[in-house]
Amino acid sequence: MAIAPILPSSAGKFPLSDYKSLANEELSARITVAREKLGEKLLILGHHYQQDEVIEHADLRGDSYQLSQMAASSKDCRTIIFCGVHFMAETADILANRPEKLVEREGLRVKVILPDMAAGCSMADMAGIRQVEEAWQQLGEVIDTSDMIPVTYINSAASLKAFCGKHGGIVCTSSNAAAVMEWAYERGNRVFFFPDQHLGRNTALTMGFTNDQMPVWNPYEEDLGGNTDEAISGSKVVLWKGHCSVHQMFRPEHVEQFRKNNPGIKIMVHPECPQEVNDIADISGSTGKILKTVEDSPAGTEWAIGTELHLVNRLKKEHPEQEIHFLSPVVCMCATMYRIDLAHLAWACENLVDGDVVNSITVDEETSDYSLVALERMLEVS
Ligand code: 13P
Ligand code: SF4
């Protein structure tokens, strides 16, 4: 089978600066026209945290797990525009271009576009591959790492997913972390979980592990991530010291305040929230679960929801029959998700109509192959 070469990303004939001054109505109309011209060859995927005007143009929307499934099962499209963040676009590139898909398409690669390359994830940036490799090597001086399963949250660079693929590990998302951890304990005695300490801890607590079995690995501490030999030897989960800057803003006092002022209110949070918030919430779950729970609730239900602002505001708008509050008194929005706006989307779409793939995300072959091992394990588990 001839594999089509990976085309380099292009700056496009139409410069981004031409779009920045246009009004949203015009941008939206131009996206719709471009979309029609591209037909089924284009798939626009949108994460639930995207702003309303952007998500309206998504063919499919979902949480991280659902979006990776959508990319994996995409059929006729030749290009995916990913309205989300960098690690999501990388995952889409790996899954949409896995070997059996390339055979089906006679070597033709699906191109994945991230409309703004600056749309990263601050949590994913908290764990670099060199730091993880260094940690693994140091851990191996104290414990038998052949008995330790590395688990990376999908919010991580492809190189970390590849690390997991190489070392008998797996990827998880917020919707399948418990099932993935169980998979890991069927194969090993310990888990090395990165980069989100909160998702790792909240999940391990539901499995009966205790905080004293979960040392936190600080990559900026020279020796054993700031831990003693005993702490590592006695560990069941070693948690990477990473967090989401959005979800760490939710505090237990916000929960208490709502419960005091609004008796009967239900608190629902994302498991990236710290333990002290997650423990006292009524429900904890992925963005997909949060959305479904509201959709399935009767009129009159009152919620305070602790996750990114755009999703909560959309739920408020779409469910006027319920009373929905944002859990924090201060704005908690994902600044990088917000970078994807109509100007970037219109720029990417119109250049694509003209034959130019701007801001294309391509994971190199070796990283892609090993990442796929860890991603496919996840897709099988959940
Ligand atoms: P979900 O998988 O729940 O959509 O979470 C993605 C994310 O980045 C949350 O901060
Ligand atoms: Fe990353 Fe947090 Fe934004 Fe999710 S909300 S993409 S974890 S920074």
Side-chain angles (χ1 to χ4, degrees), residues 301-317:
T301 311
E302 197 177 355
W303 296 105
I305 302 181
T307 195
E308 208 270 345
L309 186 63
H310 289 91
L311 173 56
V312 180
N313 281 344
R314 188 172 316 121
L315 287 171
K316 247 191 233 186
K317 226 187 293 170

Side-chain angles (χ1 to χ4, degrees), residues 152-329:
T152 189
Y153 188 22
I154 199 162
N155 297 33
S156 57
S159 52
L160 272 66
K161 296 181 178 82
F163 177 91
C164 290
K166 256 184 223 168
H167 294 276
I170 186 166
V171 176
C172 77
T173 71
S174 57
S175 66
N176 58 25
V180 164
M181 290 275 244
E182 265 157 35
W183 179 96
Y185 285 110
E186 279 159 20
R187 286 154 181 85
N189 188 34
R190 278 180 241 268
V191 161
F192 185 22
F193 192 98
F194 37 85
D196 185 16
Q197 61 172 304
H198 300 304
L199 178 65
R201 181 180 295 110
N202 291 332
T203 309
L205 288 167
T206 64
M207 298 172 77
F209 297 119
T210 53
N211 269 318
D212 57 1
Q213 296 173 305
M214 300 183 218
V216 175
W217 187 280
N218 179 351
Y220 297 100
E221 292 279 353
E222 240 169 64
D223 294 322
L224 281 185
N227 295 288
T228 58
D229 285 19
E230 294 69 39
I232 297 297
S233 306
S235 68
K236 288 301 285 181
V237 193
V238 175
L239 298 169
W240 192 265
K241 196 172 183 333
H243 64 266
C244 166
S245 40
V246 177
H247 289 91
Q248 73 161 4
M249 303 287 279
F250 299 107
R251 305 300 314 144
E253 41 290 14
H254 303 151
V255 176
E256 284 149 18
Q257 193 68 26
F258 268 112
R259 289 215 167 113
K260 190 168 145 230
N261 296 341
N262 308 55
I265 196 164
K266 289 192 190 157
I267 311 291
M268 182 153 56
V269 301
H270 194 279
E272 286 174 16
C273 289
Q275 183 198 345
E276 57 273 25
V277 173
N278 198 71
D279 274 0
I280 59 175
D282 297 297
I283 297 173
S284 164
S286 70
T287 57
K289 179 171 169 182
I290 291 173
L291 188 122
K292 176 100 183 42
T293 305
V294 172
E295 278 173 0
D296 293 348
S297 295
T301 311
E302 197 177 355
W303 296 105
I305 302 181
T307 195
E308 208 270 345
L309 186 63
H310 289 91
L311 173 56
V312 180
N313 281 344
R314 188 172 316 121
L315 287 171
K316 247 191 233 186
K317 226 187 293 170
E318 289 174 355
H319 293 278
E321 81 290 358
Q322 297 179 46
E323 200 176 320
I324 297 174
H325 306 268
F326 187 57
L327 181 57
S328 168

Side-chain angles (χ1 to χ4, degrees), residues 344-355:
H344 283 87
L345 184 54
W347 170 68
C349 285
E350 291 196 339
N351 274 297
L352 193 58
V353 171
D354 199 53

Side-chain angles (χ1 to χ4, degrees), residues 49 85 87 120-123 155 244-247 272 334 336-337:
Y49 291 165
V85 288
F87 71 81
C121 162
S122 55
M123 175 203 286
N155 297 33
C244 166
S245 40
V246 177
H247 289 91
E272 286 174 16
C334 180
T336 47
M337 285 270 182

